Amino acid sequence: MTALTDTTSGSQPSERIVDVELTDEMEGSFLEYAYSVIYSRALPDARDGLKPVQRRIIYQMSQMGLTPEKGHVKSARVVGDVMGKLHPHGDSAIYDALVRLAQPFSMRVPMVDGHGNFGSLDDGPAAARYTEARLRPEAMAMVRDLGEDVVDFVPNYDNQLLQPSVLPSAFPNLLVNGASGIAVGMATNMAPHNMGEVIDAACHLIDNPDASLDDLMGFVPGPDLPSGGTVVGLDGIREAYETGKGSFKTRATVSIESVGPRKTGLVVTELPYLVGPERVIEKIKDAVNAKKLVGISDVTDLTDRHHGLRLVIGVKSGFDPAVLLQELYRLTPLEESFSINSVALVEGQPHTLGLRELLQVYVAHRIQVVTRRSVHRLAQRKARLHLVEGLLIAILDIDEVIQVIRASDDSKTAGLRLREVFDLSEEQTEYILELRLRRLTKFSRIELETERDELVAEISALEALLADPALVRASVKSELTETRDAYDTPRRTILSGATPSAPRVAQAPENLEISDSPCEVLVSASGLAGRREISEDAAAPTKRSPHDALLARLTTRVRGSLGAITSQGVLHTFTPMDLPILDARAPKLSGGTALKSYLGLSPADGVILAVVTLEEGPTIALGTKRGVVKRVSLSDLPERPQHSLLSLKDGDTVVGAAIAPDDHHLVWVTSAGALLNFPANLVRPQGLPAAGMQGVTVPEDHAVITMAAVDRERAIVVTLSGSTEVLPGTESARAKRTPLTEFPVKGRATSGVRAHTFLKGEDVLVGAFVGYQPLAIGPRGQAVALPEETSKRDASGALLEGSVSSLGEQRS
């Protein structure tokens, strides 16, 4: 029932009861509510892409003069003005809309320049009294030309003020920034896009009104999300562009990196749209606690304002990071689905629109804006021309005009007489009567004539524009192009045509572990290390770059045991399973990691001289710069990460380390230009605490520059001569290549034989190599050609074309 009040004249107010069916009342009230929510709250207008509250915020801020060149004002002041003048709802709803307009992770092109804490994906913003705001240049483009009658204005809620029913919108905001909202019986959810791509598509549609969806998708291949990431699978996007409904998957941007000594991690630098790092961390913890996810050691959020998002997921030793990443995609928000439902208001009615329809509505809106603006400008210029022509008439006969005015009793009479005498209109007469004396100059007349000519030209251009729809469309296209040039940004989201894998059955933990397959470990002379699988393709000979000098090349297993020997005589054990996987066909060790960092070594730990396998317990020979030698067996080593192999005296360091079986020769090269080689079996293996024995006699003021253990019949000796008066690496050296068999075998603890004859200006060997395939590397990583021909053992060598910074084994 409904109670109506009867206010008949001369009687007291009385109530009149009218019976109304409950279903009719509920239906009518619900429809009114539903229409109000749909039209006035939840759905954006297809023309400017804004909901009413967003439109009112941008319009009111422009009216307040909060332009980009002005200072920020308190957000509470903006909220108060919007609420009091245009939007009679709660301040929290208005502030929430203002905050979203300022968030770069929510909007592809933010409209508000926020100062203060405007929140994050995991935390809300500060209160309105603490934050400040002003408009961004892109928002000014949304309200540009608003004062030129380009859109209709409607009364506000109390009929005291006027507000625009839609903004001119210099770019397709609905596609650029997307929208989301829940109405009554319907909802909208639209993805953001790249401004440049959308404007190019709109320009193409202007030139080709019959363009197909495929033509437009050539310009707009897919969404461009504020957070970046990767869109996986494009079928759902095309369906959404065609029908207005579809879905696609977005994946985080993740790289596999070394995040600490002997530790590999998954580093997340971009997340799916509207997914925060705390949500990802929580889901990972839940999956680990529920035993659904194994192989993760820790999760660290290193995100900050200076470096952006950085979420480090530690991988336990023995687990394959690539396989683990696939599980993270399946079980956590690192992969999210986005459902597109393109519902927007067209002429006040909700419609589901595809890409072509959205662009058509926007282009039609801009054509209307340009047309109405041109009509308004034409009327203004005609009115101004009318006044200028009247003023010119008055200036030409200014003396008579003054006489007429002075002879009149009042201004009304003066106006009537002026109209009669000079045949002027009422508007021209009023303008002349308000004329200031300073306008009565010759220069002022010239200005008026110039203005008249300009107005005539502008009126002619505007009339031509309004008479030709093609010129209107060309003007719309030109303005869109200018907007694109001013505000376009590079694409952030990568589009991948690969179809995302279907949900899989939860895998057993062992399936995530790295298999113990054969592999090859490569360590470059510059200290980079990596592994690659051994397969038929990898074993096939391929052309290699000569710029890749190797310190070690070992065949082992993924879970094998390796040891790195440093110049401090310390053996650091490790397994290659967490080393980065190299491309089998790559000419260089691209993608490798610094072995010192992988092992957690500091500068005080010295340099890495050799890397050896430990499975078969090899016998290692170490040589120091003072000529001390020691052979030690590495069988039955205790389970420790490091072992001291040699007790060094003060000032002494290891200069060479290699596997030295009894059938090999130990070869020493000193800076004095001498070489000594003798059978390795002359040095008996000793225990770990031993200090070794004398291997070579070194002259005073000289030192051993290299020691190697090689097969004497195949080895090559390369020596580089130089001067102590020149800084190493600043001058080309002389190099000599000689087979090791040219050098006689001597006894241990002797000084050896001459290995290089110094020329004038030379007094020292600056480098030496004893191995099988020598390779010289320059200071910039370039290869330096060594002499191809062999020389006598005491020859002086040939001058190189460049300086040499290191010598190593060539990668075959």
Side-chain angles (χ1 to χ4, degrees):
M1 293 185 294
T2 302
L4 302 178
T5 302
D6 187 359
T7 58
T8 305
S9 176
S11 63
Q12 296 293 329
S14 62
E15 292 186 350
R16 181 163 52 91
I17 307 301
V18 178
D19 291 333
V20 179
E21 288 291 335
L22 180 62
T23 55
D24 294 340
E25 179 67 23
M26 290 292 294
E27 181 179 350
S29 299
F30 180 78
L31 288 176
E32 291 180 5
Y33 169 73
Y35 180 78
S36 175
V37 172
I38 292 172
Y39 181 75
S40 302
R41 189 180 303 175
L43 297 184
D45 193 295
R47 294 170 291 179
D48 63 3
L50 297 173
K51 300 179 185 179
V53 63
Q54 297 171 326
R55 185 180 304 115
R56 290 163 181 167
I57 289 172
I58 295 175
Y59 171 70
Q60 186 58 36
M61 290 181 71
S62 68
Q63 293 298 105
M64 295 169 65
L66 303 181
T67 54
E69 66 273 9
K70 301 292 182 59
H72 296 80
V73 302
K74 288 291 185 182
S75 299
R77 178 183 166 190
V78 176
V79 171
D81 274 28
V82 173
M83 181 170 57
K85 295 182 178 180
L86 303 177
H87 197 71
H89 298 278
D91 59 337
S92 61
I94 300 173
Y95 184 53
D96 288 345
L98 174 66
V99 165
R100 188 178 188 277
L101 289 172
Q103 291 176 332
F105 52 83
S106 297
M107 306 281 285
R108 183 61 180 83
V109 178
M111 297 291 175
V112 173
D113 178 13
H115 182 68
N117 178 16
F118 275 78
S120 66
L121 288 168
D122 298 310
D123 298 310
R129 62 184 179 273
Y130 298 123
T131 62
E132 298 176 341
R134 65 182 177 188
L135 290 177
R136 289 173 56 93
E138 295 86 348
M140 298 306 298
M142 293 289 292
V143 298
R144 187 185 304 153
D145 304 327
L146 197 55
E148 297 190 80
D149 192 33
V150 292
V151 297
D152 293 332
F153 276 71
V154 296
N156 69 335
Y157 65 93
D158 60 0
N159 293 319
Q160 299 296 314
L161 301 169
L162 292 177
Q163 60 181 336
S165 60
V166 66
L167 295 185
S169 186
F171 58 89
N173 179 59
L174 185 57
L175 279 166
V176 171
N177 277 321
S180 63
I182 301 176
V184 177
M186 62 184 65
T188 185
N189 196 36
M190 304 176 67
H193 292 77
N194 182 269
M195 180 186 289
E197 296 174 355
V198 173
I199 289 179
D200 286 342
C203 292
H204 181 75
L205 189 62
I206 291 173
D207 293 335
N208 305 276
D210 298 326
S212 65
L213 177 62
D214 291 334
D215 294 336
L216 297 177
M217 286 189 66
F219 299 95
V220 187
D224 186 20
L225 307 175
S227 57
T230 302
V231 171
V232 185
L234 304 181
D235 294 339
I237 294 176
R238 193 189 192 287
E239 181 183 359
Y241 286 168
E242 183 175 7
T243 66
K245 293 184 177 181
S247 64
F248 60 88
K249 289 186 179 295
T250 58
R251 281 184 173 179
T253 300
V254 187
S255 60
I256 300 174
E257 300 179 11
S258 176
V259 296
R262 314 186 193 200
K263 186 175 182 181
T264 301
L266 301 171
V267 179
V268 183
T269 53
E270 294 176 350
L271 286 173
Y273 185 41
L274 299 180
V275 174
E278 289 187 8
R279 179 182 166 197
V280 174
I281 293 173
E282 182 181 358
K283 291 295 184 180
I284 291 176
K285 289 181 178 178
D286 291 343
V288 171
N289 293 335
K291 307 297 184 183
K292 295 180 181 178
L293 196 59
V294 295
I296 293 179
S297 60
D298 56 77
V299 182
T300 307
D301 186 4
L302 301 179
T303 304
D304 58 42
R305 293 185 179 182
H306 299 289
H307 302 92
L309 176 70
R310 185 174 176 84
L311 192 65
V312 180
I313 303 172
V315 180
K316 290 182 179 178
S317 180
F319 287 84
D320 191 337
V323 178
L324 184 59
L325 177 58
Q326 296 302 315
E327 287 298 288
L328 286 169
Y329 283 144
R330 184 175 69 89
L331 297 172
T332 71
L334 290 182
E335 180 179 278
E336 283 279 272
S337 180
F338 188 96
S339 297
I340 297 179
N341 187 25
S342 300
V343 179
L345 296 175
V346 180
E347 298 181 355
Q349 301 295 324
H351 289 270
T352 301
L353 306 171
L355 175 64
R356 190 170 186 273
E357 291 77 19
L358 286 168
L359 290 172
Q360 284 176 330
V361 171
Y362 174 76
V363 169
H365 172 58
R366 285 303 299 177
I367 290 175
Q368 185 180 32
V369 166
V370 171
T371 302
R372 291 183 59 163
R373 185 186 64 199
S374 300
V375 171
H376 177 78
R377 290 178 177 177
L378 180 61
Q380 280 189 324
R381 280 147 182 77
K382 284 184 175 180
R384 177 61 184 171
L385 178 62
H386 184 61
L387 296 178
V388 170
E389 288 175 341
L391 191 56
L392 282 171
I393 292 174
I395 290 179
L396 289 174
D397 296 312
I398 191 61
D399 293 335
E400 187 175 356
V401 169
I402 294 174
Q403 181 64 33
V404 170
I405 296 174
R406 292 186 65 184
S408 302
D409 295 333
D410 51 34
S411 61
K412 184 176 181 180
T413 303
L416 291 173
R417 293 187 62 185
L418 285 174
R419 286 198 294 272
E420 291 175 0
V421 174
F422 295 101
D423 192 21
L424 300 174
S425 68
E426 184 176 353
E427 294 81 4
Q428 289 174 325
T429 303
E430 291 297 326
Y431 191 67
I432 292 171
L433 288 174
E434 295 176 0
L435 180 67
R436 295 183 179 183
L437 293 177
R438 65 181 179 184
R439 299 293 302 270
L440 303 179
T441 64
K442 182 178 181 181
F443 184 71
S444 179
R445 176 184 171 184
I446 295 174
E447 286 181 340
L448 289 172
E449 291 175 344
T450 303
E451 183 181 1
R452 179 195 59 191
D453 296 340
E454 291 176 352
L455 287 170
V456 170
E458 290 179 7
I459 289 171
S460 176
L462 288 169
E463 288 177 340
L465 176 68
L466 291 171
D468 190 351
L471 290 179
V472 176
R473 299 175 73 89
S475 179
V476 171
K477 179 181 176 181
S478 175
E479 292 178 7
L480 283 172
T481 302
E482 292 176 1
T483 303
R484 179 201 61 198
D485 295 341
Y487 306 120
D488 186 25
T489 56
R491 166 172 278 275
R492 300 176 186 173
T493 301
I494 298 173
L495 300 177
S496 173
T499 303
S501 56
R504 304 183 299 278
V505 180
Q507 294 180 337
E510 56 267 22
N511 291 341
L512 298 178
E513 295 182 1
I514 301 174
S515 61
D516 191 22
S517 57
C519 69
E520 187 175 51
V521 174
L522 304 177
V523 183
S524 71
S526 60
L528 294 179
R531 64 179 173 91
R532 65 183 182 92
E533 298 179 355
I534 296 179
S535 61
E536 293 182 0
D537 292 339
T542 56
K543 185 177 180 180
R544 300 298 182 186
S545 167
H547 298 265
D548 214 356
L550 292 184
L551 178 69
R553 180 175 185 170
L554 309 170
T555 301
T556 180
R557 303 191 69 84
V558 171
R559 296 179 180 273
S561 180
L562 301 181
I565 303 173
T566 69
S567 58
Q568 295 299 313
V570 178
L571 174 73
H572 297 266
T573 62
F574 67 98
T575 177
M577 101 180 116
D578 291 326
L579 288 174
I581 299 177
L582 304 172
D583 183 358
R585 295 175 174 82
K588 283 192 168 188
L589 291 183
S590 56
T593 185
L595 187 57
K596 287 193 67 172
S597 299
Y598 178 79
L599 297 175
L601 302 183
S602 67
D605 293 317
V607 299
I608 297 175
L609 299 176
V611 180
V612 297
T613 58
L614 303 178
E615 285 90 349
E616 299 178 357
T619 299
I620 303 295
L622 298 93
T624 74
K625 70 176 184 179
R626 291 186 176 179
V628 175
V629 64
K630 180 181 178 181
R631 287 177 74 207
V632 57
S633 176
L634 300 184
S635 59
D636 301 326
L637 285 175
E639 291 289 337
R640 293 203 306 267
Q642 60 187 42
H643 305 272
S644 178
L645 302 182
L646 178 63
S647 298
L648 293 171
K649 296 181 180 179
D650 292 341
D652 201 6
T653 58
V654 177
V655 295
I659 296 178
D662 289 344
D663 59 350
H664 275 41
H665 276 62
L666 301 183
V667 182
W668 305 74
V669 180
T670 69
S671 60
L675 180 145
L676 171 66
N677 77 99
F678 55 83
N681 56 18
L682 296 182
V683 181
R684 56 181 179 81
Q686 297 176 299
L688 293 180
M693 61 188 71
Q694 193 65 34
V696 63
T697 301
V698 185
E700 196 171 345
D701 298 331
H702 285 276
V704 177
I705 58 176
T706 189
M707 191 282 299
V710 294
D711 179 357
R712 183 173 181 269
E713 300 301 320
R714 298 188 299 116
I716 298 293
V717 178
V718 175
T719 52
L720 304 177
S721 61
S723 172
T724 54
E725 303 297 327
V726 179
L727 289 175
T730 61
E731 188 178 58
S732 298
R734 301 184 69 85
K736 177 179 69 69
R737 179 198 296 258
T738 306
L740 182 58
T741 53
E742 293 290 322
F743 295 88
V745 178
K746 296 287 185 176
R748 181 181 63 82
T750 61
S751 58
V753 298
R754 179 184 296 176
H756 199 111
T757 298
F758 296 135
L759 298 181
K760 184 178 180 181
E762 299 177 340
D763 58 357
V764 68
L765 285 185
V766 296
F769 166 85
V770 181
Y772 308 106
Q773 295 183 356
L775 177 64
I777 301 297
R780 296 189 302 274
Q782 78 279 14
V784 178
L786 293 172
E788 292 293 334
E789 297 182 357
T790 60
S791 304
K792 300 186 300 180
R793 65 176 179 86
D794 57 350
S796 59
L799 185 65
L800 298 180
E801 295 181 358
S803 60
V804 175
S805 60
S806 63
L807 290 166
E809 195 80 34
Q810 183 173 337
R811 181 179 178 182
S812 59

